[in-house]
Amino acid sequence: MENIKLNEAQTERKKIILNCIANEMTTLEAALNTGLTQRRIQQQVNEYLKQGDSAFIHGNTGKKHDDDFFIERKQKVINIFLYTRIDGKNPFENISYAYFTEILNEEFGIKCSETWVKKVLNSIGYKSPNKYKTKKEEIAHLFRPPKEHTGELVQADGTPYDWFGDGHQYCIQGFVDDATGIPVGLYMTKHECLLGYMEAFRNMATDYGLPMQLYPDRASVFFVNNAKDKTEEHLTQFGKMMKTFGVDMFPAYSPQAKGRVERFWKTLQGRLPIQFKLNGIKTIEEANKFLNEVYIPKYIKRFARKAKEDESFFVKADLNEINSVLKATFPAKVDRGGVFSLMGYKFFTPDLPNQKINICMNEQDGLWITPENSNKRYEVKLVETDTTGTMPEVMQILIERVFLKNAKPKFREVYMDIDFEKLAKYGNEKKKSA
């Protein structure tokens, strides 16, 4: 023990203990001086009387933990981090310490702490991409406590991002419950659009029901921002759907006002692309199935918080009504030949010649039509396309998926021949029967 060398802090502690032994300082004074308890000071007095200076040396000091097990585990983690490849790319190149620790625990069965993982990754020069703002950098805004009931308030938002890591941005539209922080409906489309929000809403209505209030931003999908009044005729299609369902909808005027859903997207952007790579998800169709069947349950298990009140404010939905209302509609007129147009695309319906119709679309059912004053559904056939038209790309993709499968449309390409003699005969028979 004579060769033990104490550092500066240990030397100071020894002086205090010696003062206690010499009755020049009480254990209470020593405790206040060191920040320890009186009991711990008395223990150190007794340890010093028995062990001398070694009482101030931690038992693990000088011990080496780099035995074969720790060396092997450390190298295994480094190899996983550096050399994992999916389609020639490393899925962990921009991962946080916390998420990589989760993946090691869940996917590779390596039980370890985030602190240890951080130390290992730092040893090879890796730094987490997560940057934490200082207090000076943070934007000051009033804290709003979460709602007390699930379904009392649901935040709505969409975010474009390179979810597949292929250099192309796609948009996930989602609804996040304010009380629990969980996603209650998610749906990916190529761009943020009405069709995507309708399907995300359908997922929420199916799994949870209808919320009391919806809290989106002022995007044109939700509100007609240039209207002087907010009467029925100035509601967007989505706004009219919410009115039909009895869901109150009001806008957020800044990102800070809907901070919970903004933080949700930040979490998703740090985790979901890695999950897509690990599970071989490469298309929008695969992504939507994975989101609802795998990722949302996993997210809920990891991040959900318990609502303050047990009672849910979600109202059980009539799914037949939900499916009948959730559709984008466009008025049109069928000509005498049974043909009608939608933004450059032409369709054929032999059943409603020379009539006013509503063109209906959604991601689940594709495209169909109904008479102006009826909900009876009629199927149609695609006649030709004009890709120079003004149709939004998400609608083009939907039409081509339904009518053309994987075919690539050409300018003014005719997809079916119409037997006009047969059509005329059909029209005359219909007039006679009328």
Side-chain angles (χ1 to χ4, degrees), residues 31-69:
L32 293 173
N33 191 285
T34 60
L36 301 174
T37 63
Q38 280 184 273
R39 183 176 180 181
R40 180 58 188 143
I41 293 295
Q42 188 58 57
Q43 286 175 341
Q44 284 227 306
V45 168
N46 295 334
E47 289 169 359
Y48 178 73
L49 292 175
K50 292 179 180 179
Q51 304 172 24
D53 287 354
S54 62
F56 304 105
I57 307 296
H58 193 279
N60 288 332
T61 301
K63 287 185 178 180
K64 291 185 178 181
H65 294 277
D66 289 337
D67 55 24
D68 291 342
F69 172 77

Side-chain angles (χ1 to χ4, degrees), residues 307-319:
K308 188 174 181 180
E309 300 292 337
D310 292 334
E311 181 187 6
S312 173
F313 279 10
F314 277 112
V315 176
K316 187 176 180 180
D318 180 340
L319 295 184

Side-chain angles (χ1 to χ4, degrees), residues 9 38 51 67 87 113 168 175 222 264 279 321 328 346 391:
Q38 280 184 273
Q51 304 172 24
D67 55 24
D87 295 332
S113 68
H168 297 91
F175 296 97
F222 304 108
F264 167 77
N279 290 275
E321 180 189 7
K346 289 193 173 184
M391 179 177 287

